[in-house]
Amino acid sequence: SVSRGVGATFSSATRSKTAYKNGDELLAYHEKQLLRLAANFALTADLCFTLGGRLKFEELLMGRLADALGAIYLGYATLHHYDRRRGIEGLEALTEHAMLRLEREAQEALYAASENFPGPLGPVASTVMKMGCFPLGGLTRPYSDPSDTLTKEVSRLLTTPSEIRDMFQEGIYSAPDGAVHQMTDLINALPICVEADKVATSLRREKREPTAEETNLIAKADALRDALIQVDVFEHATAEEAQPGYVRPALQGTEERFANLDKTVFREAA
């Protein structure tokens, strides 16, 4: 575990921020990090035996271990998905972003567990855990959140027409033309609205009036936006409320209670 920790720290420190663009290097790097985290988790699980029967009552420790195990599991699942779907443009950036967050989540959960190990032997177990998982202190906690540059790239892939969006749209029901279906309308409206935004940006930059075709495109995008943001409006929540003279039970009960009181104003009651 110590050698894995030092090796993971070195590989993380020397890794290029664009290394993820090579799919083979992406898989090899993150598999190595998950193997290190899994070994750290195994060490922590062994140290939990020092608690004996108290283990089931240590909810905070168990919660942190659950967070670490869940992040490691999701990390392997993410790499498996990437390996199966390789070739989709932008999937490397999305996988890198997810893996960086999961590795940091597992790291921080294990570190919190080492800082707060309970029980009579807690200080001893905490020291052993830190020596095994983080032998060089903060230097062997190399994982950090994704950079803003990577986050913006993932955001762009998810909010504009891309192969990533097409992947997420697989299996989503698409209504036939002419049918009213909000999810289908959202999917169909995206490329039109994105293109209209590009035209509007170009008009502001070039300081010119739109052509007839550009005007129609912007108007179509505005109409789609207006239609998609509308919500359902009901004059009455139920059929009973539509009946003449209907009074809600809560209001009716309040009126009856006030009718039985001598003082019906809060100021008078005070």
Side-chain angles (χ1 to χ4, degrees):
S1 184
V2 173
S3 61
R4 287 196 182 99
V6 174
T9 298
F10 179 77
S11 62
S12 297
T14 58
R15 184 172 183 248
S16 168
K17 292 186 179 297
T18 59
Y20 68 87
K21 294 182 179 180
N22 183 309
D24 293 333
E25 292 185 7
L26 173 71
L27 284 172
Y29 171 78
H30 288 295
E31 283 179 355
K32 183 177 181 180
Q33 308 314 309
L34 291 179
L35 193 62
R36 177 260 176 120
L37 290 168
N40 290 349
F41 179 86
L43 172 63
T44 307
D46 289 341
L47 292 172
C48 286
F49 286 110
T50 62
L51 295 171
R54 286 190 52 187
L55 178 60
K56 61 184 178 182
F57 299 106
E58 297 295 344
E59 291 89 352
L60 291 175
L61 174 63
M62 298 302 290
R64 291 178 178 121
L65 294 183
D67 289 342
L69 181 61
I72 294 169
Y73 175 84
L74 289 174
Y76 277 113
T78 301
L79 293 184
H80 176 69
H81 176 270
Y82 170 76
D83 193 43
R84 290 185 58 193
R85 304 299 301 270
R86 291 178 70 167
I88 296 177
E89 184 179 356
L91 189 56
E92 286 79 14
L94 187 63
T95 302
E96 173 78 358
H97 193 278
M99 292 304 303
L100 291 177
R101 294 187 61 184
L102 290 169
E103 287 161 1
R104 178 173 174 79
E105 181 180 336
Q107 169 187 269
E108 295 307 310
L110 291 170
Y111 180 68
S114 71
E115 286 282 283
N116 300 277
F117 211 96
L121 298 177
V124 177
S126 176
T127 300
V128 173
M129 184 178 174
K130 288 179 180 178
M131 291 178 61
C133 299
F134 315 109
L136 301 179
L139 291 176
T140 40
R141 298 201 306 274
Y143 309 125
S144 58
D145 289 328
S147 66
D148 288 350
T149 301
L150 182 58
T151 300
K152 290 177 182 178
E153 173 63 14
V154 172
S155 175
R156 182 190 65 79
L157 290 169
L158 293 174
T159 56
T160 58
S162 65
E163 292 184 17
I164 290 294
R165 280 191 62 89
D166 293 340
M167 179 188 73
F168 282 118
Q169 288 171 196
E170 293 176 4
I172 295 179
Y173 170 76
S174 180
D177 294 340
V180 178
H181 186 255
Q182 192 164 22
M183 182 60 69
T184 303
D185 294 341
L186 280 168
I187 293 173
N188 294 337
L190 178 68
I192 299 173
C193 291
V194 168
E195 189 62 30
D197 286 343
K198 291 180 180 178
V199 170
T201 300
S202 175
L203 293 176
R204 288 193 298 270
R205 183 172 57 250
E206 298 173 7
K207 297 180 180 180
R208 63 177 178 84
E209 294 297 319
T211 64
E213 183 178 354
E214 291 171 339
T215 300
N216 291 335
L217 177 63
I218 294 173
K220 184 177 181 180
D222 290 341
L224 286 171
R225 289 192 185 99
D226 290 341
L228 289 170
I229 64 174
Q230 300 304 313
V231 297
D232 294 331
V233 178
F234 302 95
E235 293 185 5
H236 306 287
T238 63
E240 289 78 7
E241 291 188 12
Q243 302 301 320
Y246 174 83
V247 179
R248 294 182 180 177
L251 296 178
Q252 185 175 0
T254 302
E255 291 177 354
E256 292 174 354
R257 284 194 295 273
F258 272 115
N260 294 328
L261 293 175
D262 295 332
K263 299 175 181 179
T264 60
V265 180
F266 287 114
R267 184 178 300 174
E268 295 178 2

